[in-house]
């Protein structure tokens, strides 16, 4: 476990390119929705990059702070925190201004049966935030779920592919994008819409879910037979560097790994490491939820952590009893019901 953690800590260090980009920013960095799976690691990376840049600025995280230990964890990184419910108008109005805003707020899991709240969170709240921060640069976290399924041999949907989300979650995320796009057009707010799928940390993600099934000799559903994955550390770097690519009208950018990776092949790699024979159900379909991230590679270069390295680290982490987050991606879902 110590060897895995040492490797991961090294892989999570800010790159020189990130430090240089952070140094060129003006003012503080505000992260709205700093809890959850991505927020804490993103805030930590931002704080590390700021410190290495030598340019003093605050990194401020906003959350309801209901997750046990979150406030203390962020404080240990040097991240300031504000407890606020963004859906509460008074809380939102009281937030400080900041020239650089990362917008992570949203809801996905458990949206079936709570469709009204999903739309309020994913499509109403963005308008309120866009009004308040109309003079800031905003990097808006979104998802590849706004795209239609594409043939597995096509290379995935690129930013010119017309959105056609499957299910209300994806539709509400498209609503979030359109609302921010509207206010970018109205106020000239520089915005980048950051369409991410799927980020992988050792504690969660598509790779961990497949690893668990292989280790437990449980069947893996192949109907969504191909996926894109990216190391969360690489995705976080790209998010922070995206401030320099915000524009009005808003820019849209896919963030994921370069491979169209077969789920069967991923499972077989875990099987080799774990000395297990993967079990499968159903058959691969000719289409999948896939994104083409070539534009992000042009802007930022390729991810530094490759697929096989992610698989190896995930297997070692899981086999040694590393902590995991019980928030499955539901990457197998083909009906858009989360």
């Amino acid at each position: 476990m110590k060897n895995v953690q040492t490797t991961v800590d090294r892989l999570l260090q800010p790159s020189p390119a990130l430090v240089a980009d952070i140094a060129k920013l003006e003012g503080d960095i505000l992260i709205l929705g700093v809890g959850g799976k991505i927020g804490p690691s993103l805030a930590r990376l931002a704080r590390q990059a700021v410190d290495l840049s030598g340019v003093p600025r605050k990194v401020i995280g906003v959350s309801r702070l209901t997750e046990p230990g979150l406030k203390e964890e962020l404080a240990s990184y040097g991240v300031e925190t504000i407890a606020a419910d963004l859906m509460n108008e008074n809380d939102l109005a009281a937030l400080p201004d900041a020239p650089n805003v990362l917008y992570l707020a949203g809801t996905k899991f458990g949206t079936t049966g709570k469709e009204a709240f999903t739309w309020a969170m994913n499509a109403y709240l963005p308008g309120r935030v866009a009004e308040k921060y109309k003079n800031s640069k905003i990097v808006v976290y979104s998802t590849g779920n706004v795209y239609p399924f594409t043939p597995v041999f096509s290379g995935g949907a690129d930013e010119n592919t017309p959105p056609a989300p499957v299910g209300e979650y994806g539709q509400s995320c498209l609503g979030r994008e359109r609302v921010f796009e509207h206010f970018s057009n109205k106020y000239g707010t520089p915005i980048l819409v950051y369409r991410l799928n799927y980020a992988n940390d050792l504690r969660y993600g598509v790779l961990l879910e497949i690893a668990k099934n292989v280790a437990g000799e449980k069947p893996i559903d192949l109907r969504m037979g191909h996926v894109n994955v990216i190391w969360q550390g690489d995705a976080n770097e790209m998010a922070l560097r995206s401030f320099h690519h915000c524009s009005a009208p808003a820019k849209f950018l896919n963030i994921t790994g370069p491979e169209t990776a077969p789920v069967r092949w991923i499972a077989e790699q875990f099987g080799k490491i774990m000395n297990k024979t993967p079990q499968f159900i159903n058959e691969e379909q000719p289409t999948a939820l896939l994104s083409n991230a070539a534009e992000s590679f042009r802007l930022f270069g390729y991810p530094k952590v490759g697929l096989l390295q992610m698989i190896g680290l995930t297997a070692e982490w899981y086999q040694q009893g590393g902590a995991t987050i019980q928030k499955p991606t539901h990457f197998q879902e083909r009906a858009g019901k989360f």
Side-chain angles (χ1 to χ4, degrees):
M1 183 64 70
K2 183 178 180 181
N3 291 338
V4 181
Q5 192 62 60
T6 299
T7 301
V8 169
D9 288 344
R10 175 175 54 81
L11 293 173
L12 292 177
Q13 292 300 306
S15 70
L18 172 60
V19 174
D21 276 355
I22 290 292
K24 290 183 286 188
L25 290 179
E26 295 183 3
D28 297 335
I29 297 172
L30 181 68
I31 304 173
L32 300 178
V34 76
K37 296 184 295 186
I38 293 176
S41 64
L42 178 65
R44 181 183 186 181
L45 182 67
R47 184 68 258 172
Q48 289 174 321
V50 167
D51 291 342
L52 289 170
S53 75
V55 179
R57 72 179 84 246
K58 295 179 181 179
V59 177
I60 305 167
V62 177
S63 165
R64 289 178 298 163
L65 297 177
T66 56
E67 299 169 55
L70 175 61
K71 181 180 177 67
E72 293 76 15
E73 178 186 0
L74 293 170
S76 73
Y77 302 151
V79 175
E80 298 184 19
T81 55
I82 298 173
D85 180 351
L86 296 178
M87 290 286 280
N88 181 298
E89 286 292 330
N90 292 331
D91 284 4
L92 180 60
L95 293 179
D97 292 332
N100 308 291
V101 176
L102 287 148
Y103 183 82
L104 279 67
T107 188
K108 177 178 182 180
F109 304 112
T111 52
T112 298
K114 297 181 179 178
E115 288 82 1
F117 175 77
T118 298
W119 280 90
M121 190 72 186
N122 289 351
Y124 165 77
L125 178 59
R128 308 303 305 128
V129 171
E131 286 273 9
K132 177 171 177 60
Y133 290 103
K134 59 179 178 289
N135 297 317
S136 303
K137 292 180 179 178
I138 309 175
V139 175
V140 177
Y141 268 66
S142 189
T143 171
N145 286 93
V146 300
Y147 288 124
F149 296 162
T150 55
V152 297
F153 58 79
S154 68
D158 66 18
E159 292 85 354
N160 294 315
T161 302
V166 177
E168 287 206 47
Y169 165 68
Q171 293 164 10
S172 72
C173 291
L174 180 58
R176 172 173 55 212
E177 293 188 2
R178 293 301 191 216
V179 169
F180 272 111
E181 185 180 16
H182 165 73
F183 285 103
S184 178
N185 292 337
K186 180 177 180 180
Y187 295 122
T189 305
I191 287 175
L192 184 139
V193 177
Y194 176 96
R195 290 172 171 167
L196 172 65
N197 71 303
Y198 285 98
N200 282 262
D201 182 293
L202 297 184
R203 300 164 302 154
Y204 80 92
V206 170
L207 297 181
L208 178 64
E209 290 168 30
I210 296 173
K212 285 181 175 181
N213 280 25
V214 172
E217 299 181 329
K218 297 178 180 178
I220 297 164
D221 190 343
L222 291 176
R223 287 176 296 175
M224 191 74 82
H226 296 75
V227 292
N228 304 128
V229 294
I230 185 170
W231 176 245
Q232 182 170 293
D234 287 322
N236 286 346
E237 283 234 355
M238 293 177 183
L240 291 167
R241 296 183 66 192
S242 289
F243 281 122
H244 292 293
H245 302 281
C246 293
S247 65
K251 179 178 177 64
F252 296 84
L253 189 64
N254 292 344
I255 302 292
T256 194
E259 302 93 350
T260 298
V263 171
R264 184 188 297 272
W265 179 86
I266 293 172
E268 288 169 348
Q269 304 315 302
F270 280 118
K272 292 176 184 177
I273 297 169
M274 298 175 173
N275 196 26
K276 298 279 189 177
T277 300
Q279 308 297 312
F280 302 105
I281 57 172
N282 301 315
E283 296 294 325
E284 292 91 339
Q285 299 299 302
T287 61
L289 183 68
L290 298 167
S291 296
N292 183 319
E295 171 65 4
S296 71
F297 305 145
R298 183 185 72 83
L299 295 176
F300 307 124
Y302 280 87
K304 64 184 177 185
V305 182
L307 178 55
L308 280 174
Q309 187 174 16
M310 283 191 277
I311 289 172
L313 287 169
T314 301
E316 192 171 355
W317 180 264
Y318 183 70
Q319 288 181 304
Q320 293 185 20
T324 60
I325 298 173
Q326 302 304 313
K327 291 184 178 180
T329 63
H330 296 285
F331 74 90
Q332 309 95 331
E333 177 60 49
R334 295 188 68 91
K337 296 182 180 297
F338 298 98

